[in-house]
Amino acid sequence: MRVPIFAVLSLAASAVAQGDPPPQLPMVSLITSKVPFQCSPGRSIGVSLEPSKLTTSLSEVQFQGTGHGRTDEFASCDFRVELNSWYYKYRVAVAGATVRGHANLTEGVQIYQFNTTAIFRLEHLKNFSPITPPEVTNLSLSTMLTELTPAQIGGEGSFDDDFEVAVKPVEKLVWSPCFQGTEGSSQDSTYIDFIVSATSSDKTGSGIGKLTSGLTVDWDLAWEECVPDLDERYAWGDVRFENWQSCTYLSANNQTYKL
């Protein structure tokens, strides 16, 4: 049985109603992780796409002690998903999220907080046609969702059940750039950086908290038709880094190219 633990109802939900999704959804081409002992690409990170949501399944995320003598424990995954083949003349936003899983908690252990963060990332290779060394890349970022959500899972005796926690919907959608349909096969690469975590408390110091199936997050997607504009595209982003990355290498005659 699935037990709803915490839900947030907000008037913001009406402000983030999505339009029709594109006729074709993007494809996942690469997954990387900063914490492979908690979530490992190819083994314990699953990503699936539907018109209304992107689902990330983190089957091995588990609570770890945050420090000697502390009673709180932390389970976290920080990972990146590369997406390509976006449909032409559409853009996307993350409107909200739902965290779900199954917990086995003893001796009053309680999961009291979840963090859900999604950051859209555009990398633009400046010298693409033709590619001349060094390869210089610009980086643009926008945070689509970042929310610390309180929860009350367990806390008294033992808890061994499913849980589902609704994250507060965003008040204002943060849109991606308008897609051209060539992302991943031209000079532009697109990614979403995800951070998912849960924090538990053990007041007695003798309890055990376990996520028996890790954490699954459904990221609600909003879609909107748009008109691609290169000037707007390369001015997009809350944070932008010119010449963010330079690839230096040797040519056929062993000449070194530098930025």
Side-chain angles (χ1 to χ4, degrees), residues 83 131 135 144 169 179 191 203 246 253:
L83 296 151
I131 296 177
E135 297 177 9
M144 292 185 163
F179 300 122
Y191 309 81
K203 296 178 180 179
S246 175
N253 61 0

Side-chain angles (χ1 to χ4, degrees), residues 38 64 70 106 109 127 157 233:
Q38 283 269 27
Q64 307 287 329
R70 296 175 181 250
T106 68
V109 170
N127 49 342
R233 180 182 184 85

